């Protein structure tokens, strides 16, 4: 049914046919989340990390009117350097495909692609959430509604500190999305291990996370799970150090009238500049860490 829409790479096709573990990866982090050339280096390193952990990586993107599940190195390199790539969320996916555009998938659109291809585990850096000031802007990422309806386990390093983390947790709870902290009692906050907020749920083992996803399916509950995996200690930036930098970037975004899809990329770029690149080093370390955990969950799901 989706054969005329999806282009599944030979490696992912083979893995799916053999029931081998596959981990989906998003592409917006490559095109809108990190600067060239470290975006490509990171995309390659994340794929290598998934392989080293015994799973097959499937980076997802829209190219030439098709939804690609698994990119070869040439496609990855082209995407990382392309100009004017669309940032695709649930709302944009059909338009981009129908009009032959090139687009990078956000967490929401990557979940849709993964599910269409039968992939149940996905690693990223951070998810979108409720932005600070959302009571005025109504800026709430479509990633949250996607987690409520599409059955994919998403491994992220927690909501970014540019978001309103308590409100993000409230929206997820309202929508019945399990928010699981891996190996600690507190929700991690992306660049920092701690947020000061207790996690709604805690799990300590990849096989239990895989079992929980399977149990959701048995119960007939729609939607996925959000696994928040703390950044390794050696790579974290303490929340106190980042807070004034984030506040500064946010007031600039407000003064320049940045809204909608442009907000997250603008803030990430300014925080990169204001931390002299430290935020990017941390971002890369946490994505690799998430790739390892996602691969372990995918391997456990296969055994389960
Ligand atoms: N986290 C990152 N870098 C990113 C993003 C998240 O570290 O580039 C992207 C993801 O693709 C996420 C999207 O789905 O930002 C959220 O965008 P918005 O807030 O516009 O929904
Ligand atoms: Mn938004």
């Amino acid at each position: 049914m989706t054969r005329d829409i999806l282009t599944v790479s030979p490696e992912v096709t083979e893995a799916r046919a053999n029931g081998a573990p596959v981990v989906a990866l998003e592409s917006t982090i490559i095109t809108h989340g990190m600067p060239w050339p470290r975006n490509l280096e990171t995309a390659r390193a994340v794929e290598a990390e998934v392989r080293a952990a015994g799973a097959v990586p499937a980076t997802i993107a829209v190219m030439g009117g098709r939804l690609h599940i698994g990119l070869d190195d040439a496609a990855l390199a082209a995407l990382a350097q392309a100009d004017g790539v669309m940032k695709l969320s649930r709302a944009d996916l059909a338009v981009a495909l129908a009009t032959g555009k090139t687009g990078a998938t956000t967490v929401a659109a990557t979940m849709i692609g993964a599910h269409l291809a039968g992939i149940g585990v996905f690693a990223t850096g951070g998810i979108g959430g409720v932005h600070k000031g959302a009571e005025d802007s109504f800026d709430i990422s479509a990633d949250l509604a996607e987690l409520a309806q599409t059955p994919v386990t998403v491994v992220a390093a927690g909501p970014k500190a540019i978001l309103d983390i308590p409100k993000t947790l409230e929206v997820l709870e309202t929508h019945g999305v399990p928010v699981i902290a891996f190996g600690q009692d507190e929700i991690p906050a992306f660049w920092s291990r701690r947020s000061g907020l207790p996690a709604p749920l805690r799990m300590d083992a990849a096989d239990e996370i895989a079992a929980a996803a399977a149990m959701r399916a048995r119960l007939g509950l729609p939607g996925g799970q959000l696994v928040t995996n703390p950044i390794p200690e050696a790579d974290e930036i303490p929340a106190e150090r980042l807070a004034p930098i984030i506040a500064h970037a946010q007031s600039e975004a407000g003064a320049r009238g940045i809204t909608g899809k442009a907000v997250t990329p603008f803030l990430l770029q300014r925080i990169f500049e204001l931390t002299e690149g430290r935020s990017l080093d941390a971002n890369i370390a946490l994505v690799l860490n998430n790739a390892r955990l996602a691969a372990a969950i995918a391997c456990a799901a296969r055994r389960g």
Side-chain angles (χ1 to χ4, degrees):
M1 189 190 80
T2 52
R3 215 172 298 155
D4 59 331
I5 306 169
L6 300 187
T7 298
V8 184
S9 73
E11 192 189 10
V12 173
T13 301
E14 193 193 333
R16 293 280 308 122
N18 298 334
V22 180
V23 172
L25 300 166
E26 65 155 307
S27 44
T28 295
I29 192 169
I30 303 172
T31 55
H32 294 72
M34 291 185 185
W36 168 265
R38 295 190 71 194
N39 59 346
L40 178 59
E41 290 163 23
T42 304
R44 287 175 170 155
V46 171
E47 292 211 344
E49 205 70 39
V50 170
R51 287 183 213 284
V56 171
T59 301
I60 296 182
V62 171
M63 298 172 109
R66 309 213 25 127
L67 183 52
H68 288 259
I69 313 291
L71 301 183
D72 63 20
D73 195 66
L76 215 53
L79 192 68
Q81 295 171 82
D83 285 325
V85 177
M86 289 175 79
K87 174 179 164 186
L88 307 177
S89 190
R90 164 174 278 262
D92 318 292
L93 198 52
V95 169
L97 283 166
T99 56
K101 297 286 191 317
T102 295
T105 51
T106 61
V107 167
T110 305
M111 289 177 74
I112 295 169
H115 182 50
L116 285 171
I119 302 168
V121 184
F122 161 25
T124 184
I127 59 155
V130 180
H131 278 263
K132 287 179 181 155
E135 54 276 30
D136 295 318
S137 67
F138 275 45
D139 190 348
I140 301 175
S141 176
D143 292 351
L144 303 184
E146 202 62 50
L147 279 160
Q149 60 184 312
T150 303
V152 173
T153 294
V154 178
V155 182
K160 271 185 235 82
I162 58 176
L163 300 169
D164 187 319
I165 300 177
K167 287 196 182 70
T168 300
L169 294 176
E170 290 295 348
V171 170
L172 288 167
E173 186 193 16
T174 301
H175 287 291
V177 176
V179 178
I180 300 158
F182 184 68
Q184 66 179 31
D185 293 322
E186 214 172 295
I187 285 286
F190 199 71
W191 295 290
S192 319
R193 288 173 68 82
R194 304 171 62 94
S195 63
L197 297 165
L201 298 161
R202 169 184 175 154
M203 298 183 95
D204 292 80
D207 58 341
E208 289 176 358
I209 295 170
M215 187 58 76
R216 257 187 100 79
R218 284 181 64 193
L219 289 168
L221 297 176
Q225 322 187 91
L226 176 61
V227 178
T228 62
N229 187 27
I231 182 171
E233 224 166 302
D235 301 298
E236 77 167 332
I237 309 178
E240 318 77 78
R241 180 123 51 95
L242 270 181
I245 289 172
I246 292 169
H248 184 88
Q250 266 155 347
S251 75
E252 272 185 17
R256 293 213 214 164
I258 311 268
T259 57
K261 281 175 184 299
V263 172
T264 299
F266 175 86
L267 293 175
L268 290 178
Q269 174 61 23
R270 283 303 283 140
I271 293 165
F272 167 71
E273 290 160 7
L274 294 166
T275 59
E276 287 158 351
R278 277 278 285 122
S279 66
L280 181 60
D281 295 337
N283 198 339
I284 293 169
L286 66 83
V287 180
L288 293 172
N289 191 45
N290 295 342
R292 282 188 288 274
L293 178 56
I297 296 168
C299 291
R302 186 205 185 190
R303 285 193 301 272

